[in-house]
Amino acid sequence: MRKSALQSDEFKEFYGTYLSTLGDDVELMETLIGGKDSFVQFIESIPKEKLAYVYLENKWTVAEVLEHIIDTERVFQYRAFRFSRNDKTPLPGFEQDDYVLQSNANKRSKEDLLNEYLNVRKASISLFNYLDREKLLRTGTASGIQWSVAGLGFVICGHQEHHRRILEERYLK
């Protein structure tokens, strides 16, 4: 499915920020797979001594940003799974700052974070790979927002790209 097939009511305006980091008319599976490959290279390029770096007081460390990307993909993947199975139960939001505080990201190695990222992204690829158009267009409610399954997939990709840019511009320059 192509990003251009998304309707504006399939995601909240805030999440459009993430979608804007992707190309104009990208295809979901190509973006999930290509994003995995390029993000692995990106993580591998981060010097180990930078994992604990923060550019301002009270900001997340590089390791915490990486864990946040992983956690968010896992949450959005779960939402997409539920909605693709036609589960209409509204799902709650999650407090990203609380998740980061509980993650122990700063005690983890770069290799460990990379391995977890790969496992989560491979699971996303596996999930979305076998969804037909009907299932990709299914919707559900999470965090009080109406989402399509495809919209969640594209936001996973855009969220990763958004934070990669922040890491490049504020942490790793």
Side-chain angles (χ1 to χ4, degrees), residues 14-43:
F14 171 78
Y15 293 100
T17 301
Y18 299 142
L19 295 177
S20 70
T21 67
L22 306 174
D24 288 335
D25 197 25
V26 295
E27 196 277 328
L28 180 57
M29 289 308 300
E30 290 173 5
T31 307
L32 282 166
I33 294 166
K36 174 185 69 73
D37 296 339
S38 68
F39 203 65
V40 165
Q41 291 176 352
F42 173 71
I43 293 172

Side-chain angles (χ1 to χ4, degrees), residues 80-94:
F81 167 72
R82 296 268 306 256
F83 301 158
S84 75
R85 300 304 196 259
N86 218 24
D87 185 337
K88 298 296 185 186
T89 308
L91 300 175
F94 72 104

Side-chain angles (χ1 to χ4, degrees), residues 5 14 28 31 38 51 58 62 71 84 86 89 101 103 110 114 117 121 125 137 143 148-150 158 171:
F14 171 78
L28 180 57
T31 307
S38 68
L51 288 177
N58 297 320
V62 170
D71 287 352
S84 75
N86 218 24
T89 308
L101 284 174
S103 72
K110 181 170 78 168
L114 177 59
Y117 168 77
R121 179 50 62 99
I125 290 168
L137 294 174
S143 302
S148 71
V149 172
Y171 289 81

Side-chain angles (χ1 to χ4, degrees), residues 81-144:
F81 167 72
R82 296 268 306 256
F83 301 158
S84 75
R85 300 304 196 259
N86 218 24
D87 185 337
K88 298 296 185 186
T89 308
L91 300 175
F94 72 104
E95 180 47 59
Q96 64 183 14
D97 291 317
D98 292 344
Y99 276 47
V100 168
L101 284 174
Q102 297 301 317
S103 72
N104 292 323
N106 294 320
K107 295 180 180 178
R108 299 178 68 186
S109 70
K110 181 170 78 168
E111 292 75 20
D112 187 43
L113 290 164
L114 177 59
N115 187 53
E116 184 180 6
Y117 168 77
L118 280 168
N119 288 329
V120 172
R121 179 50 62 99
K122 287 176 183 176
S124 293
I125 290 168
S126 180
L127 171 66
F128 285 97
N129 192 45
Y130 295 103
L131 297 178
D132 59 24
R133 185 168 177 80
E134 175 191 342
K135 289 179 177 58
L136 288 169
L137 294 174
R138 285 185 177 162
T139 61
T141 303
S143 302

